[in-house]
């Protein structure tokens, strides 16, 4: 049974839906430079390998959809009203760092950026929606990438502290839960997106681990500042949850799958327990990688562990004796090209596995014993608008219903889960491919991959279904009625 006060939310990210990338003093963020090119197959996107590539894409007239998102910046009142109609009582989104500190190293914040979030949060509260806020969702001001080298540079902690102090104190009464970083554990296989470090995970491991250490310090610092400046809120961070089945009953495959999951939890081990786990220390030792420890670092990590752990869950995987996360090139390379024959997949090849979510929630609870919140879970699909002008997305309803059922089971197993934020309450730009056609929302947005369209918002069937779910506090998950 879902407890009273359960957060019925929706998950979003500033860089994927706000748009208005250069409005009212906002500076460019690294997400504004991730490109969509209609000529490329989405599964064959050119990886960002260096600044030269980005600059070349700009010159070639590349399409950068995150710059316009779905223009929430100018539609936020209408969108939040729709979220409230669905019965949402919380909204997980992020603050764009470069809306507040346009270049990252500015001495003073951009007041217009602060005012934007003030209005958004006020509007949320007017509709009975509590903001759950990520401080950095896969973006930092671009200058921190190009001039400073992202989290590889310890100086970022100075800018980060300034940013955290500014928003935590300004919005201390508005936000119930703060999440320092989105999917912080993806740094090891996607260093540009998560760390702002232009590096190849197979060759530049020392640089990436340097960035990882600085980012973990930044997480602890955000928790510390949060407890001081926003004491009524709870302060946590977020991981991408990786649940992998062994490819066979061979004990080596079983251990390989176990180690794969263990490596995916390295970040949450540090954030929840305050120190690097033994398996990470062994890896670093054996690969001659040195973390850039300075006096005070160990205390900072130990004394500022997270109050709760947020997670995204989309899929499960299959892993074998040789599968690793540490030291592999990119998320795709971290997985073996194996799929579970018992599971169906989305058009983007992601396995649909609600039982895996129940397993994950139990495992995380057993490991950390701190409250959990799901801040992303959903299905990317190619929606068709019917003749009646609506999207009849029974596949999305089936997906969310089955995953919510798994959450309910986990809660009945004794796991403390305080919220569920489906990704996403409204269609937005895809993080990985910058596509619009990979739609997750309960509200359709009339816009194509290149930004053409009226941007009209139209509720899908899932919108009505989710309203039924929230109204019954999750007691009615029947996917066939709404
Ligand atoms: C998570 C990210 O990895 O997955 C989100 O935190 C992202 O930002 C979501 O949108 C789904 O991925 P994608 O690539 O389909 O948008």
């Amino acid at each position: 049974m879902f407890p009273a006060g359960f957060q019925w939310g929706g998950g979003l990210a500033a860089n994927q839906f706000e748009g208005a990338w250069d409005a009212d003093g906002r500076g460019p963020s690294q997400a504004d430079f991730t490109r969509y090119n209609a000529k490329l197959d989405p599964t064959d996107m050119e990886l960002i390998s260096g600044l030269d590539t980005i600059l070349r894409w700009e010159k070639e007239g590349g399409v950068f959809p995150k710059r316009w998102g779905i223009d929430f910046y100018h539609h936020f009142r209408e969108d939040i009203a729709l979220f409230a109609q669905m019965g949402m009582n919380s909204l997980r989104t992020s603050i764009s760092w470069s809306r507040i500190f346009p270049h990252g190293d500015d001495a003073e914040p951009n007041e217009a950026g602060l005012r934007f979030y003030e209005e958004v949060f006020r509007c949320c509260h007017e509709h009975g929606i509590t903001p759950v806020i990520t401080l950095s969702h896969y973006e930092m001001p671009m200058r921190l990438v190009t001039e400073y080298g992202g989290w590889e540079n310890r100086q970022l902690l100075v800018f980060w502290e300034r940013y955290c102090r500014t928003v935590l104190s300004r919005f201390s009464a508005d936000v119930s839960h703060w999440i320092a970083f989105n999917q912080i554990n993806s740094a090891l296989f996607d260093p540009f997106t998560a760390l702002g470090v232009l590096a190849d995970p197979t060759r530049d491991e020392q640089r990436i681990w340097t960035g990882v250490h600085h980012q973990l310090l930044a997480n602890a610092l955000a928790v510390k500042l949060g407890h001081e400046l926003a004491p009524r809120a709870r302060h946590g961070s977020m991981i991408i949850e990786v649940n992998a089945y062994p490819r066979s009953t061979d004990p080596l495959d079983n251990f390989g799958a176990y180690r794969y999951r263990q490596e995916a939890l390295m970040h949450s081990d540090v954030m929840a327990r305050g120190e690097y786990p033994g398996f990470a220390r062994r890896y670093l030792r054996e690969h001659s990688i040195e973390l850039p420890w300075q006096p005070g670092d160990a205390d900072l990590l130990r004394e500022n562990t997270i109050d709760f752990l947020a997670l995204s869950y989309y899929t499960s995987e299959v892993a074998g004796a040789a599968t690793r996360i540490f030291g592999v090139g990119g998320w795709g390379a971290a997985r073996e090209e194996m799929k579970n024959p018992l599971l169906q997949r989305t058009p983007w090849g992601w396995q649909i596995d609600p039982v895996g979510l129940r397993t994950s929630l139990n495992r995380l609870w057993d490991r950390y014993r701190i409250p959990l919140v799901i801040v992303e879970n959903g299905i990317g699909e190619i929606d068709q608008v019917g003749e009646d002008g609506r999207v009849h997305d029974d596949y999305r309803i089936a997906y969310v219903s089955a995953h919510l059922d798994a959450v309910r089971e986990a809660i009945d197993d004794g796991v403390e889960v305080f919220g569920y934020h489906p990704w996403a309450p409204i269609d937005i730009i895809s993080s990985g491919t910058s596509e619009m056609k990979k739609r997750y929302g309960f509200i359709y947005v009339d816009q194509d991959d290149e930004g053409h369209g009226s941007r009209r918002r139209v509720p899908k069937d899932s919108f009505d279904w989710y309203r039924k779910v929230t109204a019954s506090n999750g007691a009615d998950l029947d996917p066939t009625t709404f």
Side-chain angles (χ1 to χ4, degrees):
M1 220 174 76
F2 292 95
F6 191 75
Q7 286 183 348
W8 292 104
L12 293 162
N15 78 81
Q16 292 169 251
F17 87 131
E18 281 183 4
W21 75 301
D22 55 359
D24 300 327
R26 183 185 182 280
S29 97
Q30 100 222 61
D32 304 326
F33 295 86
T34 55
R35 172 184 73 150
Y36 171 76
N37 183 334
K39 288 187 217 85
L40 284 178
D41 181 276
T43 56
D44 187 29
M45 293 293 291
E46 195 174 339
L47 285 176
I48 289 175
S49 55
L51 195 52
D52 290 350
T53 317
I54 299 174
L55 297 175
R56 179 165 56 76
W57 288 352
E58 277 235 289
K59 275 206 207 101
E60 288 170 356
V63 175
F64 300 90
K66 290 176 188 162
R67 297 181 182 184
W68 55 75
I70 55 161
D71 198 23
F72 174 78
Y73 194 79
H74 297 106
H75 287 75
F76 74 87
R77 290 183 204 286
E78 173 192 351
D79 290 346
I80 292 168
L82 285 168
F83 299 162
Q85 276 181 37
M86 274 190 280
M88 280 169 51
N89 59 14
S90 68
L91 173 67
R92 182 264 173 150
T93 182
S94 63
I95 293 179
S96 162
W97 186 348
S98 65
R99 222 179 265 297
I100 309 302
F101 287 94
H103 306 104
D105 56 0
D106 320 67
E108 296 298 328
N110 172 31
E111 183 55 31
L114 288 164
R115 267 205 308 276
F116 168 66
Y117 291 107
E118 210 162 66
E119 284 178 37
V120 168
F121 297 160
R122 189 179 308 130
C123 184
C124 282
H125 287 294
E126 282 166 7
H127 286 283
I129 293 174
T130 304
V132 171
I133 296 300
T134 312
L135 287 161
S136 174
H137 188 124
Y138 279 176
E139 62 173 335
M140 65 173 63
M142 192 58 176
R143 188 189 288 174
L144 298 187
V145 177
T146 55
E147 304 288 314
Y148 294 89
W151 281 111
E152 192 181 350
N153 188 334
R154 197 177 174 104
Q155 216 183 330
L156 253 70
L157 284 166
V158 175
F159 308 135
W160 172 253
E161 175 163 1
R162 200 176 293 160
Y163 166 58
C164 289
R165 278 190 184 282
T166 304
V167 295
L168 286 166
S169 46
R170 180 80 167 235
F171 304 121
S172 66
D174 297 306
V175 174
S176 65
H177 293 80
W178 292 91
I179 295 167
F181 290 101
N182 181 64
Q183 296 190 165
I184 188 168
N185 55 339
S186 57
L188 287 165
F189 48 81
D190 192 356
F192 174 71
T193 307
L195 288 173
V197 175
L198 289 158
D200 175 345
T202 57
R203 290 197 318 248
D204 305 317
E205 275 199 86
Q206 175 62 61
R207 294 180 49 211
I208 291 168
W209 279 92
T210 298
V212 163
H213 182 67
H214 292 151
Q215 198 181 33
L216 284 166
L217 294 175
N219 180 79
L221 186 58
V223 172
K224 180 174 191 282
L225 293 169
H227 286 147
E228 280 166 30
L229 301 169
R232 280 185 296 156
R234 309 290 282 162
H235 300 275
S237 205
M238 180 203 168
I239 57 166
I240 177 172
E241 165 56 8
V242 174
N243 182 9
Y245 296 94
R247 64 184 294 182
S248 78
T249 50
D250 181 335
L252 289 174
D253 282 337
N254 187 48
F255 182 73
Y258 182 80
R259 183 178 56 189
Y260 184 69
R261 292 192 301 257
Q262 212 180 23
E263 290 181 353
L265 294 179
M266 192 279 293
H267 281 78
S268 40
D269 283 355
V270 178
M271 298 188 301
R273 295 168 165 169
E275 59 180 20
Y276 286 85
F279 62 86
R281 293 201 304 272
R282 174 179 181 176
Y283 181 86
L284 296 173
R285 203 169 52 239
E286 291 180 349
H287 291 78
S288 306
I289 298 167
E290 306 248 341
L291 295 182
W293 288 101
Q294 288 203 6
D297 286 2
D299 291 346
L300 184 69
L301 294 178
R302 202 181 45 252
E303 289 164 11
N304 299 286
T305 53
I306 48 179
D307 301 333
F308 66 91
L309 182 64
L311 62 135
S312 63
Y313 177 88
Y314 290 92
T315 185
S316 61
E317 294 166 38
V318 177
T323 318
R324 305 277 324 226
I325 286 182
F326 291 176
V328 260
W331 186 227
R335 307 168 182 185
E336 293 193 16
E337 285 309 308
M338 288 177 290
K339 295 291 176 189
N340 188 330
L342 301 177
L343 298 175
Q344 295 199 322
R345 295 180 224 160
T346 72
W348 275 264
W350 297 16
Q351 294 180 174
I352 301 174
D353 184 6
V355 176
L357 176 56
R358 180 179 177 185
T359 311
S360 290
L361 291 169
N362 270 279
R363 199 179 50 236
L364 292 171
W365 174 250
D366 289 346
R367 195 174 179 100
Y368 300 123
R369 294 274 155 180
I370 54 175
L372 304 173
V373 59
I374 296 152
V375 291
E376 293 185 29
N377 171 240
I379 183 168
E381 272 282 357
I382 300 172
D383 290 338
Q384 306 292 344
V385 181
E387 281 178 9
D388 57 357
R390 296 262 307 197
V391 172
H392 301 292
D393 52 347
D394 50 338
Y395 39 88
R396 183 165 293 111
I397 294 172
Y399 180 101
V400 177
S401 168
H403 284 78
L404 269 172
D405 200 43
V407 178
R408 180 164 62 184
E409 292 286 357
I411 292 171
D412 289 345
D413 292 335
V415 181
E416 193 177 334
V417 183
F418 66 85
Y420 177 80
H421 299 75
W423 190 270
I426 188 166
D427 292 342
I428 58 174
I429 308 294
S430 153
S431 172
T433 64
S434 289
E435 291 167 294
M436 187 70 203
K437 68 173 168 290
K438 189 180 188 186
R439 295 175 185 271
Y440 286 87
F442 298 162
I443 301 166
Y444 185 83
V445 178
D446 176 31
Q447 177 175 278
D448 68 14
D449 285 336
E450 302 201 334
H452 308 303
S454 65
R455 294 199 178 133
R456 202 160 69 86
R457 276 67 166 147
V458 186
K460 305 179 192 178
D461 284 356
S462 50
F463 178 100
D464 293 331
W465 180 81
Y466 195 50
R467 178 167 49 198
K468 175 192 79 166
V469 170
T470 61
S472 67
N473 196 38
D476 183 356
L477 298 177
D478 182 348
T480 62
T481 61
F482 50 87

